[in-house]
Amino acid sequence: MVTRDELLGPVDAVAPALLGCWVVTDRPEGTVAVRLTEVEAYSGDGTDPAAHSHRGPTPRAAVMFGPPGRLYVYFSYGVHWCANVVVGPEGAGSAVLLRAGEVVVGEELARARRPSARAARDLARGPARLTQALGIGPDDRNADLLDATSPVRLHTGDPAAPVESGPRVGISVATELPWRFWESGAPSVSAFRPGGRPRSRPAREDRPRE
DNA sequence: CGCCAGATGCGCT
DNA sequence: GCGCATCTGGCGA
């Protein structure tokens, strides 16, 4: 198990240290474990406008201000659930987004949860895919990842390759911070462009309508 | 292959 | 009402 002390440092130092760790979910239908290959740091120190905690402990972001080692789960784009590990001292408002990993236990169950995934590396490639493969959802909000009896846990591990860093993905502010960390060469690292897809505007005002 | 746009609901202005 | 820490399938080269 990861210990509380390992999560107390600055979020941009803790985030790369989580690479290689395992996220494990025990459910009635079986166990799935994912070895983390890509994460992103979000800081609650007030300097990170991309963090959900940037506007204070709103109802959604309250978990980010709680004790380290809890799971911050949020609903994204009206469709997906994404998961973070809360880090830093209680009240810091910092968290590490779990962006991608490789399924190391329970591949059959992960495939059943993600029928659209073809290659194995796509099972947990991307933050919403990762939560799907692990069966993480709203019921896991604020779960204690450091409790050995919890159905969702974080186990220690080491990266299998050097760690690289670069801009975070899918955000439109603070894109200069190199707070995305990944295992060099990992096939499960997100292929998305830094900064996200540019927002498209209506191409034509005179487009015929039905 | 790569690029594109829709889906879909919540949080905050 | 607007924007969003995304994913997927469709379409064209």
Side-chain angles (χ1 to χ4, degrees), chain A residues 121-170:
Chain A
R121 68 167 181 271
D122 291 332
L123 286 171
R125 182 190 194 212
R129 294 166 168 179
L130 181 145
T131 60
Q132 276 182 51
L134 286 166
I136 288 174
D139 292 345
D140 300 302
R141 283 179 287 208
N142 211 22
D144 188 354
L145 300 169
L146 310 184
D147 179 353
T149 68
S150 170
V152 188
R153 301 183 305 280
L154 186 61
H155 291 251
T156 53
D158 293 304
V163 172
E164 298 184 71
S165 65
R168 292 177 291 185
V169 171

Side-chain angles (χ1 to χ4, degrees), chain A residues 24-41:
Chain A
V24 184
T25 52
D26 289 326
R27 308 294 189 195
E29 63 269 27
T31 295
V32 170
V34 164
R35 198 179 65 81
L36 295 175
T37 58
E38 184 187 9
V39 298
E40 280 176 357

Side-chain angles (χ1 to χ4, degrees), chain A residues 4-204:
Chain A
R4 182 189 134 87
D5 285 351
E6 296 174 71
L7 301 180
L8 286 181
V11 64
D12 54 322
V14 173
L18 293 182
L19 294 173
C21 291
W22 288 22
V23 181
V24 184
T25 52
D26 289 326
R27 308 294 189 195
E29 63 269 27
T31 295
V32 170
V34 164
R35 198 179 65 81
L36 295 175
T37 58
E38 184 187 9
V39 298
E40 280 176 357
Y42 287 88
S43 175
D45 68 1
T47 67
D48 182 8
H52 288 170
S53 55
H54 188 242
R55 286 170 177 79
T58 61
R60 177 175 69 159
V63 172
M64 287 183 75
F65 291 88
R70 299 299 184 88
L71 196 68
Y72 167 50
V73 180
Y74 72 93
F75 194 49
S76 176
Y77 288 89
V79 185
H80 305 293
W81 295 95
C82 298
N84 298 246
V85 179
V86 176
V87 310
E90 184 164 357
S94 296
V96 176
L97 172 66
L98 309 179
R99 279 207 64 90
E102 292 165 359
V103 174
V104 288
V105 174
E107 180 175 331
E108 185 181 3
L109 177 53
R111 282 189 177 278
R113 288 170 174 158
R114 297 212 63 247
S116 68
R118 301 187 159 265
R121 68 167 181 271
D122 291 332
L123 286 171
R125 182 190 194 212
R129 294 166 168 179
L130 181 145
T131 60
Q132 276 182 51
L134 286 166
I136 288 174
D139 292 345
D140 300 302
R141 283 179 287 208
N142 211 22
D144 188 354
L145 300 169
L146 310 184
D147 179 353
T149 68
S150 170
V152 188
R153 301 183 305 280
L154 186 61
H155 291 251
T156 53
D158 293 304
V163 172
E164 298 184 71
S165 65
R168 292 177 291 185
V169 171
I171 58 172
S172 54
V173 292
T175 53
E176 74 284 357
L177 292 174
W179 280 3
R180 174 183 172 226
F181 303 92
W182 65 92
E183 196 178 85
S184 179
S188 53
V189 169
S190 299
F192 306 122
R193 299 238 175 89
R197 174 165 53 86
R199 210 161 309 289
S200 60
R201 311 210 156 189
R204 282 170 281 175

